Amino acid sequence: QVQVVESGGGLVQAGGSLRLSCAASGSVFQINTMGWYRQAPGKQRELVAAIPSGGTTNYADSVKGRFTISRDNAKNTVYLQMNSLEVEDTAVYYCTVVAYNGRYNGRYWGQGTQVTVSS
């Protein structure tokens, strides 16, 4: 089994910054894509950013130029640096990992971390 744990959420004023971290552990043989989704109250979960094991990062239009995704393969960790935060960025942020656990490729999710941006 693969465990995914996020950290780094919190309350910040508009214009501020936060950095989210997410670590995968357990039966991790190989990690392919790592990414972040978010879900605001009353809205569907949406992709924020994704970073494949080798390739181009992908961002939602609403966060381009403000958020940066990166990963540390040695630590099986992905980060999301969020700058110039806006009230509209308020949501629960979920980390997701596509990993090979020795038997098959699966998508795994973290429990979510709350990000609240105040005006």
Side-chain angles (χ1 to χ4, degrees):
Q1 189 59 283
V2 176
Q3 293 81 41
V4 177
V5 179
E6 305 107 332
S7 61
L11 173 64
V12 64
Q13 285 191 328
S17 299
L18 280 175
R19 188 191 194 211
L20 304 182
S21 300
C22 168
S25 62
S27 301
V28 179
F29 282 71
Q30 181 178 343
I31 295 179
N32 299 311
T33 299
M34 307 182 84
W36 293 91
Y37 282 70
R38 67 186 181 187
Q39 187 166 18
K43 294 188 177 181
Q44 289 188 331
R45 189 174 297 191
E46 63 174 359
L47 174 69
V48 176
I51 182 168
S53 58
T56 306
T57 55
N58 182 33
Y59 294 94
D61 288 342
S62 59
V63 307
K64 283 181 180 177
R66 300 187 298 122
F67 291 10
T68 302
I69 189 170
S70 61
R71 61 191 282 173
D72 184 335
N73 292 327
K75 296 180 179 180
N76 289 340
T77 299
V78 62
Y79 306 96
L80 185 68
Q81 178 66 44
M82 305 185 293
N83 299 327
S84 302
L85 281 160
E86 302 170 353
V87 173
E88 293 74 22
D89 295 318
T90 296
V92 177
Y93 284 70
Y94 297 91
C95 176
T96 182
V97 170
V98 177
Y100 179 67
N101 64 10
R103 294 183 296 163
Y104 56 85
N105 278 306
R107 179 180 290 278
Y108 302 92
W109 294 88
Q111 78 287 354
T113 185
Q114 177 70 46
V115 171
T116 303
V117 184
S118 62
S119 59

